[in-house]
Every structure is written in C-alpha cells, then in structure tokens.
Amino acid sequence: MTDRTITLRSDLVERLEALAGQQGRTVDEVFGELLNSYAPIGGGNWALAVAEGMEAADIDWIDDPDASVNSRAHFERHLREKWERTQRDGDDG
C-alpha cells in the first residue's frame, strides 16, 4: 500500500500519538481502528455491525416488552412539553 500524507491540527495528532502510546500500537493502527468503527470496509451487513457495536458498548439496557408503546408515549410527552414551552415563551414578548 502506498503511503500518503494528510495534514491534521497538531492537537489531534498529539491525541492520536498519546492514544497509540497508551495502547502500545502505532498511530496507523489506532487511526484505522477509529475509521473502521464508523465506516467498516467491505460493505458488509451494516445492521450486524451496529448490533455488535451496541452489544460491545457499556450500556445499561432496559428489557421492556412494551418499549415501542412507551417510547411513543415518551416522545408525545416530549413534543407536548416542547409545544407548551413555546406557548409560554411566546407570551413573554
């Protein structure tokens, strides 16, 4: 593979170098891993990549069989509260 040069702000380069040093890897390895976590090469199954990323993430998942119903209710409440705020804010002026 041919080497190419890109220009980055020095603070970004320092962060990449520090991260690579902490992990005992090269900047190329760290940068490649960062890119692959956002845009995997190979055009594989993106849904599988998202699911694997979610499984690997440190998230306290809530097992809610009514999640879609509850999610809709939460969203509708959010919209109603937002609308109420805009009505109150409009009365001030």
Side-chain angles (χ1 to χ4, degrees), residues 46-82:
W46 66 268
L48 179 60
V50 169
E52 289 172 347
M54 291 173 67
E55 288 176 354
D58 186 21
I59 298 172
D60 292 329
W61 295 103
I62 299 172
D63 188 11
D64 182 1
D66 297 322
S68 62
V69 173
N70 293 337
S71 177
R72 181 175 181 84
H74 292 307
F75 182 66
E76 288 174 349
R77 185 177 66 235
H78 164 75
L79 290 178
R80 186 174 47 255
E81 290 171 355
K82 184 176 178 182

